[in-house]
Amino acid sequence: MREKVESDPTSRGSDAARARMLNAWVVAPVALSYLGVLFALAYYADRRADRGRSQIANPTIYALSLGVYATAWTFYGSVGRAAENGVGFLPIYLGPTLLMAVWWLVTRKMIRISKTHRITSLADFVSSRYGKSALLAGLVTLIAVVGVLPYIALQLKAVANSYAILVRYPAIVAPAHAASVPILADTAFWVAVLLAAFTILFGTRHLDASERHEGMVAAIAAESVVKLLAFLTVGAFVA
């Protein structure tokens, strides 16, 4: 009788369901609390900037804000490539590294031109070099949107997969295919909504070349500290 109970798939299934429910009640509030801290930090930095006391006028915070390059997909893409090919992941970082090496010649000039002509987007920058052509600006915008959408999709997929894996812990189960999940039950959908709200509140309220988006920069810098600690912790564990 005991062997029958132990091998009963119904019992194991109910235990797994209860474990997932318990994990969901832990993971979801922690994730929302983390987002809430980022929102509060961005709001605080914006209010300080309005009073003329900048929170981001600091080289350390500026350096940390560059960590936006290390996105959620980095934990799967770069770490996965490192696990499979060793140093094969390094070329991914050659582009931004070389750009920083020639910053004084290239990036500084781009910033000066953008400040002079009050340019707020890549499309404006390119079109300004060719007679401020509206057609060219539209084409650049279209290319940028088409090019960046798959990358954004990877970020959302990484966040949704991470949530699904944490909820199913300690079982290691591949997340369900997005096509089989209703949109209102799709983690990626709600993550996209929250990130869109964050961007609207702290990134696109004013299209002004002189605006520094201090709240967004402060939040990204704080998030970079979390990313660094996570990478160092995982690296120490693996080593």
Side-chain angles (χ1 to χ4, degrees):
M1 180 66 180
R2 187 184 64 209
E3 293 178 355
K4 183 178 179 181
V5 171
E6 288 177 350
S7 61
D8 185 0
T10 304
S11 176
R12 289 199 302 269
S14 61
D15 290 342
R18 283 194 295 270
R20 286 197 298 271
M21 183 65 69
L22 179 62
N23 287 346
W25 278 105
V26 174
V27 175
V30 169
L32 290 175
S33 299
Y34 175 64
L35 286 174
V37 170
L38 292 181
F39 270 79
L41 182 60
Y43 179 81
Y44 175 75
D46 270 351
R47 297 284 75 78
R48 293 273 295 184
D50 290 341
R51 292 194 293 268
R53 286 182 269 181
S54 175
Q55 291 291 109
I56 66 172
N58 182 294
T60 302
I61 294 179
Y62 176 77
L64 286 171
S65 71
L66 298 179
V68 70
Y69 179 78
T71 54
W73 186 251
T74 303
F75 289 93
Y76 294 94
S78 295
V79 175
R81 288 180 64 89
E84 292 181 359
N85 306 315
V87 296
F89 77 98
L90 283 177
I92 299 173
Y93 300 95
L94 284 179
T97 303
L98 291 174
L99 180 62
M100 294 308 295
V102 297
W103 179 89
W104 193 260
L105 298 174
V106 179
T107 313
R108 186 165 173 263
K109 183 177 180 181
M110 293 173 64
I111 293 174
R112 184 185 296 117
I113 294 171
S114 299
K115 293 283 187 182
T116 301
H117 297 280
R118 303 182 66 81
I119 293 171
T120 58
S121 69
L122 178 64
D124 288 341
F125 182 85
V126 175
S127 66
S128 69
R129 309 302 291 170
Y130 297 94
K132 296 187 177 181
S133 169
L135 179 62
L136 180 59
L139 180 61
V140 172
T141 301
L142 180 62
I143 293 173
V145 169
V146 172
V148 79
L149 276 179
Y151 193 69
I152 293 176
L154 279 178
Q155 314 314 316
L156 296 176
K157 180 180 179 182
V159 174
N161 284 356
S162 298
Y163 176 80
I165 291 170
L166 289 172
V167 167
R168 288 171 172 79
Y169 180 82
I172 306 300
V173 182
H177 194 273
S180 62
V181 179
I183 187 169
L184 293 181
D186 189 357
T187 306
F189 170 75
W190 294 109
V191 171
V193 170
L194 287 171
L195 292 180
F198 186 88
T199 304
I200 292 170
L201 288 173
F202 302 107
T204 59
R205 288 180 301 170
H206 310 289
L207 288 178
D208 187 348
S210 62
E211 188 179 18
R212 300 174 64 184
H213 306 300
E214 300 220 0
M216 179 170 287
V217 173
I220 291 172
E223 191 182 24
S224 291
V225 175
V226 177
K227 292 175 184 176
L228 284 171
L229 291 175
F231 271 122
L232 289 172
T233 302
V234 173
F237 173 78
V238 172

